[in-house]
Amino acid sequence: MNTPTQSGERTAHLNTAGTGRMPDAVHAVLARATALEDRYGPAALRGSPPGAPHRRVHARLADLLGVPAGRTVLTTGAAQAFEAFARTTVLRPSDRIWTTPHEGVAHLHALHALRERTRCRLEVVPLRPDGDLDLDWMRTHLDEDVALVSVVHLSAACGTVNPVEEIGRLLAPHRAQYTLDASHSVGLLPVDARRIGCRLLTADGWRFLRGPQDIGFAYLAPHPHDDPPGAPAPQLVPAPAPAAAAVVALGTALAHHARAARSPQPDLLPLLRAAVQHTPGMELLAAGGRQAGVLAFRHAEIPAAAIRRGLARRGVVLAKTVAHEHPLHPAGRVAAPALRASLHHDNTPHDIDRLRRALAEVLLEERHAAAVPARAAAGPTAAPAAVPAAVPARPAAGPAAGPAVGPAPVPAGPGPQPFPYRTARPARRRGHLTLHRTN
């Protein structure tokens, strides 16, 4: 559950897409299991009979993903599972890999390494003007040279939900292996791996499932040519295995999620979108025709880091996204970072109202901080300068350089000049006490 702040209100945790807040029961199990593992070693957590905690986790994962038991693999995270799969993938120089602009940087590293090792081609499926994947482009360019297609179920950049089942039906008659990153959809959206038709599904346990850190899982579907009927799940070597305590805690998190999923939950995303849209100066990032759980936005004048710090001081936690996390996405090509709020079933309309009020307070505070130096620069006899409007950024030198983040030059002219926006605060002097030991 969300923890109370110093003022008595609980923290409005709007960053489940980054790190979910573990329920109290999961936190308690993780603490006990870690203490046992630290004192007696991993053998103390294997259960009786041996391996019982792992079998329970795999059974719950099979129910969660709608897959047969015995086809899931535990790893330290989705990125590690995908990297292990890519290392063992054999491609020809004439083969092609498809990825999408929603791909995260960790998966892109694995794909680039695969391209360098096999000398194949890496292509990016374009987006339509509305932000959705261009399925018509995929139909037109799909042939037997496409050997691997990597898709993200829910984009962490702006919350776009991709048509993964339609992509699976499109790829089914062809030789392409279909891999799906479900790190931000498992626990938030229904996920049926068999209906999706993917060869590999990877996910993290610490996001919307709200399990411990450093544990994830993967599902490997039987390959019609490589796996005989009834064959056990292949191992993702050299994917690192998670700690035994994390496995036990993930089992509790999966059980907690299964109980919570039985109750209908309200969709708070429209309420969140309205709160951001009604805040002056806020710009929503385009997220296609279908969006779930995640909303990205930025302010025209005030940096995302300043807004995030101001919200944190008021007990509202969200994330700041930067370009290198999703370098192929249109939102990542803009140098200015954005803010990302993500919702879970644990959130309430009160959390959205707190965000709305906190945003208004932070923006007022930051505008006041920018206006004070402007009045000082205008001189003691001049009239106070108004709060400056958005200052356009000056493009960097060179044809390939992106837009530079920074104030434009102050125009010359009579009267007080507008002062460029800045968030610097006066330095505070702090005293230091040094203790010397005498013999």
Side-chain angles (χ1 to χ4, degrees):
M1 299 296 291
N2 293 335
T3 56
T5 62
Q6 293 181 354
S7 62
E9 284 190 289
R10 72 172 192 168
T11 300
H13 187 78
L14 302 176
N15 189 27
T16 307
T19 304
R21 295 295 298 268
M22 285 190 295
D24 293 339
V26 179
H27 194 279
V29 168
L30 178 63
R32 290 196 301 268
T34 303
L36 284 174
E37 186 178 14
D38 180 66
R39 185 167 185 178
Y40 301 108
L45 300 176
R46 290 175 184 168
S48 180
H54 284 72
R55 283 197 293 271
R56 285 194 293 268
V57 168
H58 286 297
R60 287 167 178 162
L61 287 175
D63 292 338
L64 178 68
L65 303 178
V67 300
R71 301 296 305 189
T72 51
V73 180
L74 293 176
T75 67
T76 54
Q80 290 75 16
F82 183 77
E83 181 183 8
F85 178 83
R87 285 186 183 182
T88 58
T89 299
V90 179
L91 299 180
R92 302 168 301 189
S94 59
D95 287 336
R96 295 149 63 199
I97 302 174
W98 281 358
T99 185
T100 72
H102 303 289
E103 199 77 76
V105 66
H107 282 59
L108 285 176
H109 282 166
L111 291 175
H112 278 272
L114 177 60
R115 183 191 63 179
E116 293 299 317
R117 176 171 59 84
T118 62
R119 301 300 178 184
C120 64
R121 287 181 291 168
L122 178 59
E123 300 174 349
V124 180
V125 178
L127 298 179
R128 300 186 319 199
D130 61 359
D132 285 328
L133 288 177
D134 193 340
L135 297 186
D136 292 334
W137 184 95
M138 296 180 70
R139 294 186 186 95
T140 302
H141 294 82
L142 181 60
D143 55 30
E144 294 308 306
D145 287 339
V146 179
L148 179 64
V149 178
S150 176
V151 177
V152 174
H153 192 180
L154 189 145
S155 173
C158 55
T160 305
V161 180
N162 289 314
V164 292
E165 293 186 14
E166 189 172 352
I167 294 174
R169 290 191 294 269
L170 176 64
L171 299 176
H174 300 271
R175 65 178 284 252
Q177 296 198 78
Y178 179 21
T179 65
L180 183 69
D181 179 12
S183 297
H184 296 86
S185 59
V186 170
L188 178 67
L189 300 173
V191 177
D192 191 323
R194 286 192 290 187
R195 291 185 57 183
I196 293 171
C198 56
R199 165 65 169 160
L200 173 73
L201 183 147
T202 60
D204 296 319
W206 63 82
R207 302 187 194 275
F208 288 95
L209 288 176
R210 299 199 297 168
Q213 287 278 356
D214 298 327
I215 186 169
F217 50 90
Y219 161 70
L220 278 167
H223 196 280
H225 304 293
D226 301 336
D227 296 345
Q235 296 300 312
L236 289 172
V237 180
V247 174
V248 176
L250 178 62
T252 305
L254 290 171
H256 185 277
H257 171 75
R259 290 192 298 269
R262 298 189 191 106
S263 303
Q265 304 293 337
D267 184 10
L268 298 179
L269 188 61
L271 192 62
L272 175 62
R273 186 183 294 109
V276 174
Q277 286 179 322
H278 294 161
T279 301
M282 284 297 180
E283 170 199 3
L284 291 175
L285 303 188
R290 185 186 176 197
Q291 188 179 16
V294 177
L295 190 73
F297 52 95
R298 60 167 57 98
H299 195 272
E301 300 175 50
I302 304 175
I307 299 176
R308 183 191 181 194
R309 288 193 300 266
L311 293 176
R313 290 194 299 268
R314 291 162 174 83
V316 179
V317 177
L318 42 70
K320 182 187 73 170
T321 63
V322 292
H324 71 267
E325 294 176 349
H326 302 90
L328 302 179
H329 197 274
R333 297 173 193 160
V334 181
L339 295 162
R340 185 190 69 192
S342 50
L343 300 167
H344 188 264
H345 304 320
D346 185 48
N347 291 118
T348 65
H350 179 67
D351 296 333
I352 310 300
D353 187 62
R354 284 192 63 192
L355 171 66
R356 179 186 57 78
R357 290 186 282 110
L359 271 177
E361 294 174 4
V362 170
L363 297 183
L364 181 63
E365 177 183 82
E366 294 298 325
R367 289 193 181 100
H368 177 73
V372 169
R375 289 195 295 268
T381 59
V387 177
V391 181
R394 169 191 281 180
V405 179
V410 179
Q417 302 299 320
F419 195 85
Y421 176 81
R422 66 180 186 181
T423 59
R425 298 288 193 275
R428 296 181 179 180
R429 296 183 178 272
R430 299 182 178 180
H432 296 274
L433 177 65
T434 304
L435 300 179
H436 297 277
R437 177 177 174 182
T438 58
N439 295 326

